[in-house]
Amino acid sequence: METTFGPAYSTVATITKAEATSSYKQHRRTPSTSSTMTYSPRDEDDGMEPQVFAEQPSVKLCCQLCCSVFKDPVITTCGVSQKCPVDNAKLTVVVNNIAVAEQIGELFIHCKYGCRPAATGKPGAFEVDPLGCPFTIKLSSRKDHEAGCDYRPVRCPNNPSCPPLLTMNLEAHLKACEHIKCPHSKYGCTFIGNQDTYETHLEMCKFEGLKEFLQQTDDRFHEMQVALAQKDQDIAFLRSMLGKLSEKLDQLEKNLELKFDVLDENQSKLSEDLMEFRRDASMLNDELSHINARLNMGILGSYDPQQIFKCKGTFVGHQGPVWCLCVYSTGDLLFSGSSDKTIKVWDTCTTYKCQKTLEGHDALVSIQVWDIQTLQKVNTIRAHDNPVCTLVSSHNMLFSGSLKAIKVWDIMGTELKLKKELTGLNHWVRALVASQNHLYSGSYQTIKIWDIRSLECVHVLQTSGGSVYSIAVTNHHIVCGTYENLIHVWDIESKEQVRTLTGHVGTVYALAVISTPDQTKVFSASYDRSLRVWSMDNMICTQTLLRHQGSVTALAVSRGRLFSGAVDSTVKVWTC
């Protein structure tokens, strides 16, 4: 389907008959029509173009919707460009409809200076003005006629205050106009008069004799303005170039700063690598010292290669540092707690994979209770006013350590009932260990030993090296790790300190014990990223384990295996 579509002109009823094919025709005048006219100015800038046809246009040239003549006719087909206002079908403009446009251009209309708004007051409707231009013209040539129409309104060039004029009356007005200015008024001449006095004034005007000089001055002033404009352009160009140079300079400064930042970062990284190298060298020197000591003591012959611990695997999955480990030996499950607010349950017997991730921790001061069989959370207790640092269970009781306090909870199914709060502690309680009938707690340079049955403090061990971060108890010794890299050893019976073990170059975060009928080994984990294996028979370091990429923070043992958790978000498995 093809159709003609486009903006349309508005039309009114036929006023006169067209009588020829010439471009201009004069319509009839009534007997009362006078040749003398008074022009009433109309607003020609309101966007309303008078359009009065001399005779009714053919319906083929009119829009089917508004019945107005097409303005810019085009040929369209059903397509994807726009929607037809008739049947809402999509349209695509193919080409301008030149044939229809030419037919419309041949229609005769009244000059717009011969039209006025219709008496009906309807917006956009016009009618013939009997006092206006009498000509009808072809629509295609209306602009040529109206540009030189005698009825076109003009203003007096001498004074805007003169009354409105028609083009036909302008010449007569200029002869009688009393507002003619001297051509030298721009130089200061104040003359204003009519045509007669104007000619007399020119003969006497003092500026007339200076006309050539004034003209030269004007020309020179114009040249200076042109030169000044050129200078302004040059200045603008220079400013633009200066702006670009400034931008390039800023970019160079940013690049230079970036390079300095990269250099500082590389230098910092090199410094860290150097410090780590020195720490490793120090640890190797310590190892050599221990080997020499063993040689001098004649015990190197007791070295058993079957007791060398090696890393057998790594559990990966946490998104943050691993801070605690716990083994459920009955089911061979390892629980790891991380700052990513999750607990991961690892199978350490068959699949060696994460069985489940427990989520629900959102506070540092609460204790979450989980059912091991279903691995579901069954209770939440707000235990302390400050962060909970450590937990240990024994004798159907749970002990929780925090700032200057240890709380004792009775375990009643899934419920925890507060039984007692142990006080008299001098700092954060970061280490708790239950062994047989005693509870060992570590705080600032102090280890307190509590009777689990009476919940009374029965002994206090004073130590050095800052806060106690870890405690381990063997059949014969009490061992603690401190903030200042030291490991202290007491005799469990006499409570006398028997040795201080050195070798770590960072806080000793965790301790663990593996005992056999033949020997007892204590494992220490440190901020210096290393684990050390200590023989409690002769109190020397027999091995240093270096596999973690961050501080080692937690240890657990099960069936002769050692598990270590670290800030690098991993848990490593060590066996002989």
Side-chain angles (χ1 to χ4, degrees):
M1 178 186 74
E2 293 192 358
T3 184
T4 301
F5 184 74
Y9 295 109
S10 51
T11 61
V12 298
T14 303
I15 304 300
T16 61
K17 278 275 191 178
E19 298 179 349
T21 58
S22 62
S23 296
Y24 300 94
K25 297 182 181 181
Q26 186 168 5
H27 55 71
R28 299 168 184 166
R29 292 290 187 183
T30 63
S32 61
T33 300
S34 171
S35 59
T36 303
M37 299 178 58
T38 300
Y39 172 69
S40 296
R42 296 187 293 269
D43 184 4
E44 298 181 7
D45 298 326
D46 60 0
M48 194 71 70
E49 187 77 9
Q51 197 75 57
V52 179
F53 287 87
E55 57 184 26
Q56 185 68 30
S58 170
V59 294
K60 295 181 179 180
L61 304 179
C62 299
C63 174
Q64 297 179 19
L65 296 178
C66 63
C67 300
S68 300
V69 174
F70 291 117
K71 184 177 181 181
D72 294 311
V74 295
I75 298 175
T76 65
T77 62
C78 293
V80 294
S81 175
Q82 56 187 346
K83 290 185 177 180
C84 174
V86 177
D87 58 7
N88 206 34
K90 291 184 177 180
L91 303 176
T92 300
V93 176
V94 177
V95 69
N96 291 333
N97 197 328
I98 299 176
V100 174
E102 289 178 351
Q103 293 179 55
I104 294 173
E106 292 297 316
L107 296 176
F108 279 89
I109 62 169
H110 292 274
C111 173
K112 71 177 181 179
Y113 302 116
C115 301
R116 65 186 180 190
T120 60
K122 182 180 179 181
F126 296 89
E127 63 184 7
V128 173
D129 183 358
L131 300 180
C133 178
F135 291 100
T136 58
I137 54 180
K138 287 184 178 181
L139 183 59
S140 59
S141 58
R142 67 173 301 178
K143 290 185 179 180
D144 294 336
H145 165 78
E146 290 171 354
C149 182
D150 289 341
Y151 291 83
R152 181 170 62 88
V154 294
R155 293 287 184 179
C156 175
N158 297 324
N159 190 354
S161 300
C162 287
L165 303 168
L166 297 179
T167 302
M168 67 176 71
N169 300 327
L170 178 60
E171 184 177 357
H173 169 78
L174 291 177
K175 292 181 179 179
C177 182
E178 296 292 337
H179 299 92
I180 300 176
K181 293 182 180 180
C182 176
H184 307 301
S185 60
K186 62 181 179 180
Y187 302 121
C189 183
T190 59
F191 170 80
I192 297 177
N194 56 30
Q195 188 67 30
D196 295 336
T197 57
Y198 170 76
E199 294 176 356
T200 303
H201 167 75
L202 283 181
E203 296 176 357
M204 303 173 56
C205 182
K206 62 183 179 180
F207 294 99
E208 182 68 15
L210 301 172
K211 180 168 62 175
E212 293 184 1
F213 172 75
L214 293 174
Q215 184 62 43
Q216 292 176 357
T217 303
D218 278 351
D219 294 343
R220 180 59 180 163
F221 184 69
H222 177 70
E223 292 175 358
M224 292 176 65
Q225 286 183 320
V226 173
L228 183 61
Q230 183 63 40
K231 294 296 183 183
D232 288 342
Q233 293 180 1
D234 293 343
I235 291 173
F237 173 75
L238 291 175
R239 285 178 177 172
S240 174
M241 294 300 295
L242 182 61
K244 292 180 180 180
L245 289 175
S246 178
E247 291 178 0
K248 289 184 178 180
L249 182 61
D250 290 342
Q251 187 63 40
L252 288 174
E253 289 180 351
K254 291 180 180 178
N255 292 339
L256 188 60
E257 290 177 359
L258 181 61
K259 290 181 179 179
F260 277 130
D261 291 342
V262 173
L263 183 61
D264 291 342
E265 183 178 352
N266 291 339
Q267 185 176 2
S268 176
K269 184 66 168 59
L270 288 173
S271 298
E272 292 177 359
D273 292 344
L274 180 60
M275 291 179 62
E276 185 174 353
F277 173 76
R278 288 175 176 172
R279 183 164 59 246
D280 293 344
S282 176
M283 294 174 65
L284 290 174
N285 287 331
D286 290 342
E287 287 293 316
L288 290 175
S289 298
H290 289 305
I291 293 174
N292 288 330
R294 292 168 65 187
L295 286 172
N296 294 332
M297 294 171 64
I299 62 172
L300 189 60
S302 63
Y303 171 74
D304 184 0
Q306 298 299 321
Q307 295 298 316
I308 295 297
F309 280 81
K310 298 178 181 179
C311 182
K312 296 298 184 179
T314 302
F315 292 135
V316 178
H318 280 295
Q319 301 300 313
V322 177
W323 291 108
C324 55
L325 295 173
C326 179
V327 174
Y328 180 60
S329 57
T330 302
D332 287 309
L333 297 178
L334 173 69
F335 298 83
S336 59
S338 168
S339 59
D340 63 10
K341 299 182 180 180
T342 69
I343 299 172
K344 288 189 177 292
V345 185
W346 309 92
D347 182 343
T348 66
C349 184
T350 56
T351 65
Y352 300 97
K353 293 181 179 180
C354 179
Q355 298 298 299
K356 190 169 183 179
T357 298
L358 310 183
E359 299 180 348
H361 278 281
D362 56 5
L364 298 175
V365 298
S366 65
I367 297 175
Q368 306 278 0
V369 182
W370 306 81
D371 187 315
I372 290 184
Q373 302 303 322
T374 63
L375 296 178
Q376 298 295 321
K377 182 170 65 175
V378 294
N379 200 357
T380 300
I381 299 172
R382 184 177 178 84
H384 292 269
D385 295 329
N386 295 290
V388 179
C389 297
T390 181
L391 295 172
V392 67
S393 63
S394 180
H395 291 68
N396 207 35
M397 290 182 290
L398 177 70
F399 301 87
S400 59
S402 184
L403 178 62
K404 297 183 179 180
I406 299 172
K407 288 189 177 182
V408 185
W409 310 82
D410 276 328
I411 302 174
M412 305 172 65
T414 61
E415 299 294 327
L416 296 180
K417 182 179 179 181
L418 182 62
K419 183 174 184 178
K420 187 176 181 179
E421 181 171 346
L422 308 183
T423 58
L425 299 148
N426 61 10
H427 207 261
W428 289 99
V429 179
R430 292 189 172 92
L432 284 176
V433 170
S435 177
Q436 297 183 356
N437 294 323
H438 291 94
L439 174 72
Y440 300 81
S441 65
S443 54
Y444 182 73
Q445 298 193 153
T446 302
I447 294 177
K448 285 196 172 187
I449 305 174
W450 310 78
D451 187 302
I452 288 183
R453 292 163 296 186
S454 65
L455 298 178
E456 298 294 334
C457 180
V458 295
H459 205 94
V460 177
L461 303 179
Q462 298 295 335
T463 182
S464 62
S467 294
V468 175
Y469 271 74
S470 53
I471 297 175
V473 179
T474 72
N475 292 333
H476 304 288
H477 298 99
I478 302 169
V479 186
C480 81
T482 67
Y483 175 78
E484 295 181 359
N485 320 336
L486 301 176
I487 299 174
H488 298 292
V489 184
W490 288 266
D491 184 276
I492 197 168
E493 297 295 338
S494 66
K495 306 298 187 296
E496 297 291 333
Q497 183 169 346
V498 295
R499 188 68 61 89
T500 295
L501 307 180
T502 61
H504 282 297
V505 290
T507 300
V508 181
Y509 282 128
L511 294 170
V513 179
I514 294 181
S515 295
T516 65
D518 299 330
Q519 60 181 341
T520 298
K521 292 184 180 294
V522 170
F523 300 85
S524 59
S526 171
Y527 175 83
D528 62 16
R529 305 183 183 182
S530 73
L531 291 86
R532 285 180 177 261
V533 185
W534 306 87
S535 172
M536 300 309 293
D537 296 335
N538 46 35
M539 303 289 179
I540 66 171
C541 177
T542 61
Q543 191 177 355
T544 300
L545 310 178
L546 295 170
R547 291 297 294 272
H548 281 288
Q549 300 301 312
S551 303
V552 188
T553 57
L555 295 175
V557 294
S558 174
R559 301 187 182 186
R561 297 168 299 176
L562 174 70
F563 303 94
S564 61
V567 173
D568 61 9
S569 308
T570 67
V571 177
K572 292 188 180 294
V573 185
W574 308 83
T575 61
C576 291

